[in-house]
Amino acid sequence: MNASVSIDKFVMEYKDVPLGAYYGLMRDEAMNGFQTKPTIYWGDYCYELHIRKGKEAYLHVFYKNFRETDGHLHTLRLETRPEHYLHFHELLEPIRKVASRITFVGCDVAYDVRTSLENVIVIPTDMRREMTYEGTTRYFGKAHQRKTNGYCRIYDKRLELWEKQKIMLDHELSRIEIVYKPDQKILLSDVGRYPPEQNDKYFAAVVTDWDVLPRKRVEQIRDMRDGAEMYTQLIRKGVKETLANPYHVDFNRLAREQWVSLVEVPCTALLGAA
């Protein structure tokens, strides 16, 4: 089963940035007419700056992790959508010049399929991952695990576009979104060589024709889809075998095929080649 792949949020860090460079960024964003919105963030950083360029783009800036108690050079972290980095290239260029290195932290990888949410099945490989709900959205992971590797949510993207942006699609659209956060920091210049491998976290399928499946199997699939019953290991294996062809969503293949093009925009903006 094919799906379109995108990155919803891209997180990176500049290493060994002096405080003066952070203050310079604050000065430059004010002088260049960017909008700064004060935001309370119960996180891990001493300094925060939330910048917006009109209605087009936003940038979250976090400086000096609370664990960094020694010296005068600290980490500066950025979070935004990949394409938004292009809007802040000139603002960030002085930071790039003083940083010792630029690393990739993680991103949200989104797999979109043109079907209703009831046809999307996601089964965790680690059965300790419990499913929770908020409305029609399904989650694997607690709220405080939102930025951890493997956190997943499955939701009606068509509905979200309408509710948040008043965009009405003429077709159904569902999204499987999984956090990709490698154990080791990767140099941003090398990130294209490290596509996410998320098949080891979840098995996913999109059922396009329920009528061809045995009734008992349909019941089991829907129970597992909704988190009502995860059954025994043997039944789970049978469900996956039933869904393997042609319904399986191969996260690894999809990400691998598109990864270089997906990270090209933020890498170009942040590495000084824009």
Side-chain angles (χ1 to χ4, degrees):
M1 171 60 64
N2 288 323
S4 62
V5 187
S6 60
I7 296 176
D8 197 43
K9 183 172 67 174
F10 192 92
V11 185
M12 52 73 61
E13 290 178 345
Y14 296 98
K15 294 296 185 180
D16 301 321
V17 176
L19 181 60
Y22 174 75
Y23 284 150
L25 186 148
M26 294 179 64
R27 179 197 63 231
D28 291 345
E29 61 86 14
M31 291 179 61
N32 285 279
F34 291 102
Q35 302 168 3
T36 304
K37 181 179 179 181
T39 304
I40 297 175
Y41 177 79
W42 300 101
D44 301 322
Y45 290 82
C46 300
Y47 302 89
E48 301 168 23
L49 193 60
H50 304 275
I51 307 170
R52 184 168 290 277
K53 183 178 181 180
K55 296 182 179 180
E56 299 176 17
Y58 71 90
L59 182 67
H60 299 318
V61 183
F62 308 100
Y63 178 68
K64 190 182 179 183
N65 193 293
F66 283 115
R67 295 189 299 270
E68 298 176 330
T69 56
D70 299 326
H72 65 283
L73 301 177
H74 303 289
T75 298
L76 187 144
R77 171 176 288 201
L78 302 179
E79 297 182 8
T80 190
R81 293 183 54 83
E83 66 273 17
H84 289 185
Y85 282 110
L86 291 171
H87 293 272
F88 301 100
H89 166 69
E90 293 184 1
L91 185 67
L92 298 172
E93 184 64 6
I95 303 295
R96 181 188 71 83
K97 291 180 177 179
V98 300
S100 64
R101 63 190 184 279
I102 307 175
T103 60
F104 168 74
V105 177
C107 64
D108 294 347
V109 186
Y111 305 88
D112 289 339
V113 288
R114 289 195 175 200
T115 189
S116 64
L117 202 57
E118 67 178 9
N119 296 329
V120 179
I121 296 92
V122 179
I123 303 171
T125 54
D126 183 349
M127 301 313 297
R128 292 173 296 182
R129 289 182 181 268
E130 296 183 3
M131 181 186 294
T132 59
Y133 277 90
E134 183 176 328
T136 61
T137 301
R138 308 173 221 155
Y139 297 89
F140 286 106
K142 305 296 184 182
H144 69 276
Q145 298 172 315
R146 170 65 184 84
K147 297 184 179 182
T148 60
N149 189 44
Y151 180 90
C152 176
R153 64 180 182 134
I154 307 101
Y155 61 99
D156 187 333
K157 183 62 178 177
R158 182 174 186 246
L159 177 62
E160 184 196 60
L161 287 171
W162 171 248
E163 290 182 341
K164 293 187 176 181
Q165 302 180 44
K166 299 306 177 185
I167 296 173
M168 176 56 72
L169 300 180
D170 61 2
H171 57 81
E172 299 284 354
L173 188 65
S174 298
R175 171 167 289 188
I176 305 168
E177 190 174 279
I178 308 174
V179 173
Y180 172 44
K181 189 173 184 180
D183 292 335
Q184 301 296 324
K185 299 290 177 64
I186 300 169
L187 288 177
L188 190 63
S189 56
D190 294 336
V191 70
R193 295 165 43 205
Y194 297 92
E197 296 185 357
Q198 295 173 320
N199 287 347
D200 62 344
K201 298 288 190 298
Y202 299 97
F203 173 90
V206 175
V207 177
T208 54
D209 189 353
W210 290 93
D211 293 335
V212 303
L213 300 177
R215 178 187 293 182
K216 185 63 176 179
R217 188 65 87 200
V218 168
E219 179 182 335
Q220 293 167 346
I221 292 170
R222 286 175 171 162
D223 281 346
M224 296 180 72
R225 176 198 65 192
D226 300 337
E229 173 64 66
M230 300 312 290
Y231 296 102
T232 65
Q233 183 176 356
L234 183 61
I235 293 177
R236 291 197 301 271
K237 180 180 178 182
V239 166
K240 292 178 182 179
E241 289 174 350
T242 299
L243 296 175
N245 188 19
Y247 306 121
H248 181 220
V249 178
D250 188 339
F251 294 132
N252 292 2
R253 177 185 62 81
L254 290 165
R256 184 172 60 247
E257 290 175 349
Q258 302 184 51
W259 186 244
V260 172
S261 62
L262 290 174
V263 300
E264 181 179 7
V265 169
C267 288
T268 297
L270 293 165
L271 294 175

PDB file of all heavy atoms in Angstrom, residues 241-265:
ATOM      1  N   GLU A 241      -0.350 -11.508   8.850  1.00  0.00           N
ATOM      2  CA  GLU A 241      -0.213 -12.282   7.612  1.00  0.00           C
ATOM      3  C   GLU A 241      -1.369 -12.001   6.664  1.00  0.00           C
ATOM      4  O   GLU A 241      -1.180 -11.896   5.450  1.00  0.00           O
ATOM      5  CB  GLU A 241      -0.131 -13.769   7.943  1.00  0.00           C
ATOM      6  CG  GLU A 241       1.187 -14.178   8.601  1.00  0.00           C
ATOM      7  CD  GLU A 241       1.187 -15.637   9.048  1.00  0.00           C
ATOM      8  OE1 GLU A 241       0.102 -16.266   9.023  1.00  0.00           O
ATOM      9  OE2 GLU A 241       2.271 -16.137   9.422  1.00  0.00           O
ATOM     10  N   THR A 242      -2.580 -11.863   7.218  1.00  0.00           N
ATOM     11  CA  THR A 242      -3.743 -11.545   6.398  1.00  0.00           C
ATOM     12  C   THR A 242      -3.603 -10.179   5.737  1.00  0.00           C
ATOM     13  O   THR A 242      -3.991  -9.975   4.581  1.00  0.00           O
ATOM     14  CB  THR A 242      -5.025 -11.577   7.256  1.00  0.00           C
ATOM     15  OG1 THR A 242      -5.196 -12.886   7.801  1.00  0.00           O
ATOM     16  CG2 THR A 242      -6.247 -11.200   6.438  1.00  0.00           C
ATOM     17  N   LEU A 243      -3.035  -9.239   6.479  1.00  0.00           N
ATOM     18  CA  LEU A 243      -2.940  -7.858   5.996  1.00  0.00           C
ATOM     19  C   LEU A 243      -1.662  -7.578   5.202  1.00  0.00           C
ATOM     20  O   LEU A 243      -1.520  -6.498   4.608  1.00  0.00           O
ATOM     21  CB  LEU A 243      -2.998  -6.898   7.184  1.00  0.00           C
ATOM     22  CG  LEU A 243      -4.309  -6.892   7.982  1.00  0.00           C
ATOM     23  CD1 LEU A 243      -4.174  -5.991   9.203  1.00  0.00           C
ATOM     24  CD2 LEU A 243      -5.467  -6.443   7.107  1.00  0.00           C
ATOM     25  N   ALA A 244      -0.754  -8.532   5.183  1.00  0.00           N
ATOM     26  CA  ALA A 244       0.566  -8.284   4.589  1.00  0.00           C
ATOM     27  C   ALA A 244       0.486  -7.893   3.121  1.00  0.00           C
ATOM     28  O   ALA A 244       1.204  -7.000   2.667  1.00  0.00           O
ATOM     29  CB  ALA A 244       1.454  -9.507   4.773  1.00  0.00           C
ATOM     30  N   ASN A 245      -0.374  -8.534   2.383  1.00  0.00           N
ATOM     31  CA  ASN A 245      -0.453  -8.273   0.946  1.00  0.00           C
ATOM     32  C   ASN A 245      -1.933  -8.271   0.523  1.00  0.00           C
ATOM     33  O   ASN A 245      -2.625  -9.251   0.760  1.00  0.00           O
ATOM     34  CB  ASN A 245       0.306  -9.360   0.175  1.00  0.00           C
ATOM     35  CG  ASN A 245       0.431  -9.051  -1.296  1.00  0.00           C
ATOM     36  OD1 ASN A 245       0.286  -7.908  -1.706  1.00  0.00           O
ATOM     37  ND2 ASN A 245       0.683 -10.080  -2.096  1.00  0.00           N
ATOM     38  N   PRO A 246      -2.428  -7.179  -0.034  1.00  0.00           N
ATOM     39  CA  PRO A 246      -1.713  -5.988  -0.515  1.00  0.00           C
ATOM     40  C   PRO A 246      -1.861  -4.771   0.394  1.00  0.00           C
ATOM     41  O   PRO A 246      -1.654  -3.643  -0.036  1.00  0.00           O
ATOM     42  CB  PRO A 246      -2.408  -5.728  -1.843  1.00  0.00           C
ATOM     43  CG  PRO A 246      -3.853  -6.072  -1.538  1.00  0.00           C
ATOM     44  CD  PRO A 246      -3.813  -7.221  -0.554  1.00  0.00           C
ATOM     45  N   TYR A 247      -2.219  -4.987   1.656  1.00  0.00           N
ATOM     46  CA  TYR A 247      -2.622  -3.866   2.504  1.00  0.00           C
ATOM     47  C   TYR A 247      -1.481  -3.224   3.311  1.00  0.00           C
ATOM     48  O   TYR A 247      -1.640  -2.132   3.852  1.00  0.00           O
ATOM     49  CB  TYR A 247      -3.712  -4.327   3.482  1.00  0.00           C
ATOM     50  CG  TYR A 247      -4.897  -4.974   2.817  1.00  0.00           C
ATOM     51  CD1 TYR A 247      -5.271  -6.286   3.121  1.00  0.00           C
ATOM     52  CD2 TYR A 247      -5.659  -4.275   1.890  1.00  0.00           C
ATOM     53  CE1 TYR A 247      -6.383  -6.884   2.521  1.00  0.00           C
ATOM     54  CE2 TYR A 247      -6.772  -4.865   1.273  1.00  0.00           C
ATOM     55  CZ  TYR A 247      -7.113  -6.166   1.594  1.00  0.00           C
ATOM     56  OH  TYR A 247      -8.198  -6.750   0.995  1.00  0.00           O
ATOM     57  N   HIS A 248      -0.356  -3.902   3.439  1.00  0.00           N
ATOM     58  CA  HIS A 248       0.717  -3.465   4.328  1.00  0.00           C
ATOM     59  C   HIS A 248       1.286  -2.106   3.920  1.00  0.00           C
ATOM     60  O   HIS A 248       1.555  -1.854   2.740  1.00  0.00           O
ATOM     61  CB  HIS A 248       1.835  -4.515   4.320  1.00  0.00           C
ATOM     62  CG  HIS A 248       2.981  -4.181   5.213  1.00  0.00           C
ATOM     63  ND1 HIS A 248       4.305  -4.400   4.866  1.00  0.00           N
ATOM     64  CD2 HIS A 248       3.024  -3.622   6.450  1.00  0.00           C
ATOM     65  CE1 HIS A 248       5.086  -4.018   5.841  1.00  0.00           C
ATOM     66  NE2 HIS A 248       4.335  -3.532   6.810  1.00  0.00           N
ATOM     67  N   VAL A 249       1.498  -1.237   4.898  1.00  0.00           N
ATOM     68  CA  VAL A 249       2.178   0.039   4.701  1.00  0.00           C
ATOM     69  C   VAL A 249       3.631  -0.138   5.171  1.00  0.00           C
ATOM     70  O   VAL A 249       3.882  -0.265   6.369  1.00  0.00           O
ATOM     71  CB  VAL A 249       1.500   1.175   5.498  1.00  0.00           C
ATOM     72  CG1 VAL A 249       2.272   2.485   5.319  1.00  0.00           C
ATOM     73  CG2 VAL A 249       0.050   1.348   5.067  1.00  0.00           C
ATOM     74  N   ASP A 250       4.549  -0.166   4.236  1.00  0.00           N
ATOM     75  CA  ASP A 250       5.966  -0.399   4.537  1.00  0.00           C
ATOM     76  C   ASP A 250       6.630   0.943   4.852  1.00  0.00           C
ATOM     77  O   ASP A 250       7.081   1.656   3.948  1.00  0.00           O
ATOM     78  CB  ASP A 250       6.642  -1.081   3.348  1.00  0.00           C
ATOM     79  CG  ASP A 250       8.068  -1.526   3.644  1.00  0.00           C
ATOM     80  OD1 ASP A 250       8.679  -0.984   4.595  1.00  0.00           O
ATOM     81  OD2 ASP A 250       8.578  -2.407   2.928  1.00  0.00           O
ATOM     82  N   PHE A 251       6.687   1.308   6.135  1.00  0.00           N
ATOM     83  CA  PHE A 251       7.272   2.590   6.534  1.00  0.00           C
ATOM     84  C   PHE A 251       8.712   2.735   6.044  1.00  0.00           C
ATOM     85  O   PHE A 251       9.100   3.797   5.547  1.00  0.00           O
ATOM     86  CB  PHE A 251       7.251   2.731   8.058  1.00  0.00           C
ATOM     87  CG  PHE A 251       5.877   2.814   8.659  1.00  0.00           C
ATOM     88  CD1 PHE A 251       5.529   2.032   9.752  1.00  0.00           C
ATOM     89  CD2 PHE A 251       4.929   3.690   8.159  1.00  0.00           C
ATOM     90  CE1 PHE A 251       4.267   2.103  10.316  1.00  0.00           C
ATOM     91  CE2 PHE A 251       3.664   3.778   8.717  1.00  0.00           C
ATOM     92  CZ  PHE A 251       3.334   2.977   9.805  1.00  0.00           C
ATOM     93  N   ASN A 252       9.517   1.692   6.209  1.00  0.00           N
ATOM     94  CA  ASN A 252      10.929   1.769   5.854  1.00  0.00           C
ATOM     95  C   ASN A 252      11.128   2.080   4.376  1.00  0.00           C
ATOM     96  O   ASN A 252      11.933   2.945   4.004  1.00  0.00           O
ATOM     97  CB  ASN A 252      11.646   0.467   6.212  1.00  0.00           C
ATOM     98  CG  ASN A 252      11.737   0.254   7.712  1.00  0.00           C
ATOM     99  OD1 ASN A 252      11.237   1.055   8.495  1.00  0.00           O
ATOM    100  ND2 ASN A 252      12.385  -0.826   8.125  1.00  0.00           N
ATOM    101  N   ARG A 253      10.408   1.367   3.515  1.00  0.00           N
ATOM    102  CA  ARG A 253      10.563   1.583   2.078  1.00  0.00           C
ATOM    103  C   ARG A 253      10.097   2.984   1.684  1.00  0.00           C
ATOM    104  O   ARG A 253      10.781   3.689   0.929  1.00  0.00           O
ATOM    105  CB  ARG A 253       9.762   0.537   1.295  1.00  0.00           C
ATOM    106  CG  ARG A 253       9.816   0.746  -0.226  1.00  0.00           C
ATOM    107  CD  ARG A 253       8.923  -0.232  -0.967  1.00  0.00           C
ATOM    108  NE  ARG A 253       7.521  -0.076  -0.617  1.00  0.00           N
ATOM    109  CZ  ARG A 253       6.719   0.858  -1.149  1.00  0.00           C
ATOM    110  NH1 ARG A 253       7.194   1.742  -2.019  1.00  0.00           N
ATOM    111  NH2 ARG A 253       5.438   0.920  -0.798  1.00  0.00           N
ATOM    112  N   LEU A 254       8.943   3.389   2.198  1.00  0.00           N
ATOM    113  CA  LEU A 254       8.408   4.699   1.843  1.00  0.00           C
ATOM    114  C   LEU A 254       9.351   5.827   2.262  1.00  0.00           C
ATOM    115  O   LEU A 254       9.603   6.761   1.496  1.00  0.00           O
ATOM    116  CB  LEU A 254       7.042   4.888   2.507  1.00  0.00           C
ATOM    117  CG  LEU A 254       5.906   4.030   1.959  1.00  0.00           C
ATOM    118  CD1 LEU A 254       4.719   4.046   2.923  1.00  0.00           C
ATOM    119  CD2 LEU A 254       5.484   4.509   0.576  1.00  0.00           C
ATOM    120  N   ALA A 255       9.869   5.753   3.483  1.00  0.00           N
ATOM    121  CA  ALA A 255      10.777   6.795   3.963  1.00  0.00           C
ATOM    122  C   ALA A 255      12.089   6.774   3.193  1.00  0.00           C
ATOM    123  O   ALA A 255      12.626   7.827   2.817  1.00  0.00           O
ATOM    124  CB  ALA A 255      11.032   6.605   5.454  1.00  0.00           C
ATOM    125  N   ARG A 256      12.614   5.581   2.962  1.00  0.00           N
ATOM    126  CA  ARG A 256      13.897   5.456   2.254  1.00  0.00           C
ATOM    127  C   ARG A 256      13.829   6.064   0.852  1.00  0.00           C
ATOM    128  O   ARG A 256      14.759   6.744   0.410  1.00  0.00           O
ATOM    129  CB  ARG A 256      14.290   3.987   2.181  1.00  0.00           C
ATOM    130  CG  ARG A 256      15.651   3.728   1.542  1.00  0.00           C
ATOM    131  CD  ARG A 256      16.044   2.277   1.700  1.00  0.00           C
ATOM    132  NE  ARG A 256      15.067   1.376   1.067  1.00  0.00           N
ATOM    133  CZ  ARG A 256      14.280   0.541   1.735  1.00  0.00           C
ATOM    134  NH1 ARG A 256      14.317   0.475   3.057  1.00  0.00           N
ATOM    135  NH2 ARG A 256      13.428  -0.244   1.092  1.00  0.00           N
ATOM    136  N   GLU A 257      12.719   5.854   0.160  1.00  0.00           N
ATOM    137  CA  GLU A 257      12.584   6.340  -1.209  1.00  0.00           C
ATOM    138  C   GLU A 257      12.510   7.860  -1.295  1.00  0.00           C
ATOM    139  O   GLU A 257      12.911   8.445  -2.304  1.00  0.00           O
ATOM    140  CB  GLU A 257      11.323   5.734  -1.841  1.00  0.00           C
ATOM    141  CG  GLU A 257      11.420   4.246  -2.120  1.00  0.00           C
ATOM    142  CD  GLU A 257      10.113   3.651  -2.623  1.00  0.00           C
ATOM    143  OE1 GLU A 257       9.072   4.361  -2.560  1.00  0.00           O
ATOM    144  OE2 GLU A 257      10.128   2.495  -3.061  1.00  0.00           O
ATOM    145  N   GLN A 258      12.038   8.519  -0.236  1.00  0.00           N
ATOM    146  CA  GLN A 258      11.803   9.964  -0.319  1.00  0.00           C
ATOM    147  C   GLN A 258      12.647  10.788   0.651  1.00  0.00           C
ATOM    148  O   GLN A 258      12.577  12.016   0.646  1.00  0.00           O
ATOM    149  CB  GLN A 258      10.314  10.253  -0.065  1.00  0.00           C
ATOM    150  CG  GLN A 258       9.387   9.536  -1.040  1.00  0.00           C
ATOM    151  CD  GLN A 258       7.930   9.896  -0.842  1.00  0.00           C
ATOM    152  OE1 GLN A 258       7.575  11.079  -0.789  1.00  0.00           O
ATOM    153  NE2 GLN A 258       7.074   8.893  -0.731  1.00  0.00           N
ATOM    154  N   TRP A 259      13.439  10.139   1.484  1.00  0.00           N
ATOM    155  CA  TRP A 259      14.108  10.814   2.585  1.00  0.00           C
ATOM    156  C   TRP A 259      15.029  11.945   2.130  1.00  0.00           C
ATOM    157  O   TRP A 259      14.992  13.054   2.684  1.00  0.00           O
ATOM    158  CB  TRP A 259      14.886   9.796   3.420  1.00  0.00           C
ATOM    159  CG  TRP A 259      15.506  10.370   4.658  1.00  0.00           C
ATOM    160  CD1 TRP A 259      16.842  10.467   4.945  1.00  0.00           C
ATOM    161  CD2 TRP A 259      14.820  10.926   5.793  1.00  0.00           C
ATOM    162  NE1 TRP A 259      17.032  11.035   6.173  1.00  0.00           N
ATOM    163  CE2 TRP A 259      15.807  11.328   6.713  1.00  0.00           C
ATOM    164  CE3 TRP A 259      13.473  11.106   6.108  1.00  0.00           C
ATOM    165  CZ2 TRP A 259      15.483  11.906   7.939  1.00  0.00           C
ATOM    166  CZ3 TRP A 259      13.150  11.696   7.316  1.00  0.00           C
ATOM    167  CH2 TRP A 259      14.156  12.081   8.212  1.00  0.00           C
ATOM    168  N   VAL A 260      15.868  11.707   1.151  1.00  0.00           N
ATOM    169  CA  VAL A 260      16.829  12.729   0.719  1.00  0.00           C
ATOM    170  C   VAL A 260      16.098  13.994   0.277  1.00  0.00           C
ATOM    171  O   VAL A 260      16.490  15.112   0.638  1.00  0.00           O
ATOM    172  CB  VAL A 260      17.730  12.191  -0.413  1.00  0.00           C
ATOM    173  CG1 VAL A 260      18.584  13.315  -1.000  1.00  0.00           C
ATOM    174  CG2 VAL A 260      18.631  11.079   0.108  1.00  0.00           C
ATOM    175  N   SER A 261      15.035  13.846  -0.484  1.00  0.00           N
ATOM    176  CA  SER A 261      14.299  15.026  -0.940  1.00  0.00           C
ATOM    177  C   SER A 261      13.562  15.707   0.214  1.00  0.00           C
ATOM    178  O   SER A 261      13.399  16.934   0.220  1.00  0.00           O
ATOM    179  CB  SER A 261      13.302  14.637  -2.034  1.00  0.00           C
ATOM    180  OG  SER A 261      12.341  13.716  -1.549  1.00  0.00           O
ATOM    181  N   LEU A 262      13.137  14.944   1.218  1.00  0.00           N
ATOM    182  CA  LEU A 262      12.422  15.522   2.350  1.00  0.00           C
ATOM    183  C   LEU A 262      13.321  16.403   3.214  1.00  0.00           C
ATOM    184  O   LEU A 262      12.873  17.421   3.753  1.00  0.00           O
ATOM    185  CB  LEU A 262      11.819  14.409   3.210  1.00  0.00           C
ATOM    186  CG  LEU A 262      10.640  13.638   2.603  1.00  0.00           C
ATOM    187  CD1 LEU A 262      10.252  12.474   3.518  1.00  0.00           C
ATOM    188  CD2 LEU A 262       9.443  14.552   2.390  1.00  0.00           C
ATOM    189  N   VAL A 263      14.575  16.016   3.386  1.00  0.00           N
ATOM    190  CA  VAL A 263      15.475  16.785   4.266  1.00  0.00           C
ATOM    191  C   VAL A 263      16.268  17.829   3.482  1.00  0.00           C
ATOM    192  O   VAL A 263      17.011  18.619   4.083  1.00  0.00           O
ATOM    193  CB  VAL A 263      16.442  15.855   5.028  1.00  0.00           C
ATOM    194  CG1 VAL A 263      15.670  14.879   5.897  1.00  0.00           C
ATOM    195  CG2 VAL A 263      17.384  15.113   4.074  1.00  0.00           C
ATOM    196  N   GLU A 264      16.112  17.883   2.184  1.00  0.00           N
ATOM    197  CA  GLU A 264      16.901  18.805   1.364  1.00  0.00           C
ATOM    198  C   GLU A 264      16.646  20.263   1.727  1.00  0.00           C
ATOM    199  O   GLU A 264      17.578  21.064   1.852  1.00  0.00           O
ATOM    200  CB  GLU A 264      16.610  18.573  -0.113  1.00  0.00           C
ATOM    201  CG  GLU A 264      17.418  19.480  -1.033  1.00  0.00           C
ATOM    202  CD  GLU A 264      17.133  19.224  -2.491  1.00  0.00           C
ATOM    203  OE1 GLU A 264      16.204  18.439  -2.798  1.00  0.00           O
ATOM    204  OE2 GLU A 264      17.845  19.804  -3.334  1.00  0.00           O
ATOM    205  N   VAL A 265      15.381  20.628   1.920  1.00  0.00           N
ATOM    206  CA  VAL A 265      15.041  22.033   2.190  1.00  0.00           C
ATOM    207  C   VAL A 265      15.637  22.542   3.488  1.00  0.00           C
ATOM    208  O   VAL A 265      16.349  23.558   3.509  1.00  0.00           O
ATOM    209  CB  VAL A 265      13.523  22.250   2.143  1.00  0.00           C
ATOM    210  CG1 VAL A 265      13.145  23.633   2.686  1.00  0.00           C
ATOM    211  CG2 VAL A 265      13.014  22.098   0.716  1.00  0.00           C
TER     212      VAL A 265
END
